[in-house]
Amino acid sequence: MAQQKDRHSARERVYRFVRERLAAGRPPTVREVQEALGFRAVQSAREHLERLVAEGRLTKRAGEARGYRLPEPDAKPPAALVPVLGRVQAGALTTAVEDIEGYVPVQHKAGSEYFGLRVQGDSMTGAGILAGDIVIVRAQPSADSGAIVVALVEDEATVKRLRLRGQRIELHPENPAFSPITPEECRILGKVVEVRRFLEEGEV
Amino acid sequence: MAQQKDRHSARERVYRFVRERLAAGRPPTVREVQEALGFRAVQSAREHLERLVAEGRLTKRAGEARGYRLPEPDAKPPAALVPVLGRVQAGALTTAVEDIEGYVPVQHKAGSEYFGLRVQGDSMTGAGILAGDIVIVRAQPSADSGAIVVALVEDEATVKRLRLRGQRIELHPENPAFSPITPEECRILGKVVEVRRFLEEGEV
DNA sequence: TTGCATACCAGACAAATGTCTGGTATCATA
DNA sequence: TATGATACCAGACATTTGTCTGGTATGCAA
């Protein structure tokens, strides 16, 4: 039996199946691998898995159900799917279920809450944030001066650069065609930690 | 026994533990929940889990090991961690292990391979792609005219907009300070499907 | 040819894991 | 007071899951 790394070889198909299941957060049993590949014996699947472990492409917890894992990035923080909101209105951050466009995977910091917001308008193009981009926001009630934040002004969320003048809050655009805002009342919803742009239709 | 949703109540602690384990891709057994909460009986943990299922906050696959799950976005495609490369050089797409900066979670399409590439230079700022951004690239050997691609030119990868003139390939910058490139030989590594910018230090 | 390695099958067994039954303790209400 | 609900404990059992042993078939090298 020639050993080949062809993407159609059983070994590669096993690896791909396991990897996809692990990426979906649903580690498979050996029997599920068996069925997925169409083997008649559990041991057939298991030998491939053991070989993948020997090659360093998988690791396993011996004796533990669904114990095969990917060896790589388990030093990374967990990735979670966070909702992307089309709009945020006053009081709605926890109830805007109907405004959820979809979800995107985000590596979050433990203990922090995140949401995504679709950027409207061109006020932040100078910072490379275009209309239609999605900003990933860590929910927090304050931020440092200079940070890009999502703030609630007159019941509508907006993405701006925060400038703190003593106790006064200014929200600056990054586009000379727009003027800074100095709202009487304003609530910081969170700090923008990431900007994403999908270049293909149909994503999120 | 007053039923309370205090974050310190056993129910909430169970929920949090399970959610974190699921987010990490490592669904727990009932006994692992038991141990994590310090219960002396498996059944104690199980009753909380069953209650969470009854409340709709978890789902479960009856009889299946590690079968409790989150009910939400399992209609979404799987999220996978893809490597972010600092540089790509000729022949290196499969061997550039030492150039991997880290990993980012990407919702990928089944059957497609992806990698991330750190953007160098300012040639694409007109398209809102700044130096330091990460482009998520679906590996493919060709793309439509007008798409933003990663191409290998003179053994170095570059991010440009592809223009096809008959059989000839042109790589256009999105910044008037740069000129289009018409390389004699050039290989398309893939199509840019997403642009990401991290606004905090320390992220990939 | 033999020997070895790989890749699969079949069956049985051990351990992990889910589940059930019976129990005690506490609290609130009628 | 009795009753019902909640929350835990303890033990046993059923099922799932991992693992092992023995086997056949194929290809390759000595």
Side-chain angles (χ1 to χ4, degrees), chain A residues 38-90:
Chain A
F39 295 131
R40 303 255 304 262
V42 189
Q43 182 61 12
S44 309
R46 187 162 171 277
E47 279 177 16
H48 282 290
L49 291 163
E50 288 298 311
R51 281 301 178 92
L52 287 166
V53 169
E55 288 171 21
R57 294 161 79 188
L58 291 179
T59 63
K60 77 158 185 174
R61 317 280 285 227
E64 187 174 291
R66 305 179 187 269
Y68 291 95
R69 300 187 188 170
L70 288 170
E72 303 142 67
D74 61 346
K76 293 296 293 178
L81 291 169
V82 304
V84 177
L85 311 176
R87 309 182 63 195
V88 175
Q89 291 184 313

Side-chain angles (χ1 to χ4, degrees), chain A residues 156-174:
Chain A
E156 190 79 27
T158 184
V159 180
K160 294 286 186 290
R161 193 176 294 277
L162 178 68
R163 293 291 181 201
L164 298 176
R165 314 288 186 192
Q167 298 282 51
R168 213 176 71 233
I169 282 178
E170 290 180 5
L171 300 174
H172 286 243
E174 294 279 344

Side-chain angles (χ1 to χ4, degrees), chain A residues 35-203:
Chain A
E35 287 166 31
L37 274 274
F39 295 131
R40 303 255 304 262
V42 189
Q43 182 61 12
S44 309
R46 187 162 171 277
E47 279 177 16
H48 282 290
L49 291 163
E50 288 298 311
R51 281 301 178 92
L52 287 166
V53 169
E55 288 171 21
R57 294 161 79 188
L58 291 179
T59 63
K60 77 158 185 174
R61 317 280 285 227
E64 187 174 291
R66 305 179 187 269
Y68 291 95
R69 300 187 188 170
L70 288 170
E72 303 142 67
D74 61 346
K76 293 296 293 178
L81 291 169
V82 304
V84 177
L85 311 176
R87 309 182 63 195
V88 175
Q89 291 184 313
L93 228 203
T94 55
T95 59
V97 182
E98 58 274 359
D99 289 334
I100 296 185
E101 291 187 12
Y103 295 80
V104 291
V106 173
Q107 253 158 347
H108 64 271
K109 287 197 168 112
S112 299
E113 299 294 321
Y114 294 79
F115 63 93
L117 181 69
R118 181 75 68 178
V119 176
Q120 324 261 15
D122 298 313
S123 64
M124 297 296 286
T125 49
I129 303 177
L130 313 183
D133 285 357
I134 293 170
V135 289
I136 310 297
V137 186
R138 186 193 303 125
Q140 56 194 56
S142 62
D144 293 336
S145 187
I148 298 181
V149 300
V150 171
L152 211 46
V153 181
E154 293 180 4
D155 294 350
E156 190 79 27
T158 184
V159 180
K160 294 286 186 290
R161 193 176 294 277
L162 178 68
R163 293 291 181 201
L164 298 176
R165 314 288 186 192
Q167 298 282 51
R168 213 176 71 233
I169 282 178
E170 290 180 5
L171 300 174
H172 286 243
E174 294 279 344
N175 182 337
F178 293 77
S179 306
I181 309 176
T182 312
E184 296 194 3
E185 283 200 356
C186 148
R187 181 153 76 101
I188 307 277
L189 293 184
K191 175 180 176 180
V192 176
V193 298
E194 199 183 323
V195 184
R196 295 192 187 180
R197 179 178 311 130
F198 290 93
L199 298 187
E200 280 188 328
E201 301 291 335
E203 299 290 350

